[in-house]
Amino acid sequence: MSQTKLHLRDKGPVSSAPGFTFEHYDSIGSTNSYGIELARQGHPGHLWLRAEEQTEGRGRRGRAWTSDRGNLFASVLLRFDKLDETAVQFPFVAALSLADAVEKACGVTHLVELKWPNDLLINGAKISGILLESESHSSYGFYLVCGFGVNVVHHPDLGLYKTTDLRSLGFQCNADLLFLKLAESFEHWLGTWSKPNGFDVVRKAWLERAIGVGEQIRVRLTREEFSGRFVDIDHFGRLILKMDSGETRLVSAGDVFFS
């Protein structure tokens, strides 16, 4: 996807996150896709990409993502010399970063709950989407692009889930403020995760916000749906379910519903 004719609104360091730079566009196909394009060109990373609107926004598993003006659309590009299997822990870093950012931007604590692995809910309704994509390159190492979409002033009807937006809930924050808070909290949780045993801290904080722990839930995979009791998440972020048969089942990816 060519992005050569994009209108750049602003660029420079991120005031709330030292060490990160940003590029802010009026309109873009997809901040994630552009991040991937830059990574393949050898960009060193630690870059935030923002857009006022996306014309080709997408969610997990190729689902469409509504990207109208007023909401937040941002992706962060990271590059690593190498990255091991702990890369699967990153959705939890992203979810905590965004949850903290929403609460700081709204000026309210204990507002956001997390649904495995990285959906943000307020009063049971989804307010955001997080999309992670990664790739290895023989010359440039391993890069990861993490996209954040937040319903600030309006929300789509997704069908599968109840959705809402911050304005409908009575909060007056805007996408500019939310981005600054996101960059700040992301830097914090990235630093925490990067330390020895850092995921222990991330996992504990995520579980403190998680809904459904200890409860019966439904998990929908591409060709299968089943129920079990949500026991925990393991060190790879996998969902640990206790099945009715007494067996334990680990889930790496899927859609979670509450009975």
Side-chain angles (χ1 to χ4, degrees):
M1 178 179 63
S2 175
Q3 303 279 2
T4 56
K5 296 183 179 180
L6 293 175
H7 176 222
L8 182 66
R9 292 170 61 110
D10 196 10
K11 68 183 297 184
V14 182
S15 60
S16 61
F20 284 81
T21 57
F22 80 102
E23 297 178 6
H24 186 183
Y25 293 90
D26 183 65
S27 181
I28 201 169
S30 159
T31 55
N32 257 39
S33 295
Y34 190 36
I36 291 170
E37 185 176 315
L38 292 176
R40 289 173 177 169
Q41 295 171 7
H43 194 284
H46 269 58
L47 171 70
W48 280 99
L49 298 165
R50 275 196 66 194
E52 292 299 301
E53 69 172 357
Q54 295 184 124
T55 58
E56 301 171 16
R58 51 197 169 83
R60 291 196 300 267
R61 302 184 183 182
R63 294 167 180 161
W65 182 262
T66 302
S67 304
D68 297 328
R69 292 178 182 271
N71 287 349
L72 176 66
F73 314 110
S75 296
V76 62
L77 167 62
L78 299 174
R79 187 176 295 281
F80 305 88
D81 291 336
K82 61 179 181 178
L83 199 63
D84 57 23
E85 67 275 6
T86 59
V88 297
Q89 300 167 348
F90 208 84
F92 303 90
V93 176
L96 281 174
S97 299
L98 189 55
D100 283 355
V102 168
E103 291 186 347
K104 290 176 182 177
C106 292
V108 180
T109 59
H110 308 295
L111 174 68
V112 176
E113 295 180 307
L114 297 176
K115 181 167 74 71
W116 183 87
N118 55 16
D119 282 342
L120 273 65
L121 306 182
I122 298 178
N123 298 332
K126 183 173 178 176
I127 64 162
S128 66
I130 296 176
L131 176 64
L132 288 104
E133 298 177 287
S134 61
E135 196 170 295
S136 295
H137 193 285
S138 58
S139 300
Y140 305 133
F142 180 94
Y143 70 81
L144 183 135
V145 179
C146 182
F148 299 86
V150 184
N151 301 332
V152 179
V153 299
H154 42 72
H155 62 274
D157 180 6
L158 297 180
L160 280 176
Y161 307 106
K162 179 182 176 183
T163 57
T164 190
D165 61 80
L166 297 178
R167 177 174 292 180
S168 296
L169 294 168
F171 299 108
Q172 299 303 310
C173 75
N174 57 50
D176 290 338
L177 175 61
L178 183 55
F179 170 70
L180 291 175
K181 296 301 182 182
L182 173 58
E184 179 182 51
S185 59
F186 181 82
E187 182 194 31
H188 166 75
W189 284 112
L190 178 65
T192 299
W193 174 69
S194 300
K195 294 176 181 177
N197 301 315
F199 187 66
D200 292 340
V201 179
V202 170
R203 177 179 167 277
K204 181 177 184 294
W206 186 91
L207 285 169
E208 288 173 351
R209 288 185 177 273
I211 59 172
V213 179
E215 300 177 4
Q216 196 80 2
I217 64 172
R218 288 184 294 117
V219 178
R220 181 179 298 170
L221 308 181
T222 303
R223 298 182 179 180
E224 183 183 8
E225 184 170 329
F226 51 88
S227 299
R229 184 168 60 87
F230 179 5
V231 177
D232 204 344
I233 60 172
D234 69 8
H235 202 68
F236 296 104
R238 293 176 298 190
L239 186 66
I240 303 175
L241 283 184
K242 180 70 73 173
M243 310 300 288
D244 292 339
S245 63
E247 297 180 354
T248 297
R249 180 162 182 175
L250 300 177
V251 182
S252 298
D255 293 314
V256 168
F257 302 88
F258 299 97
S259 301

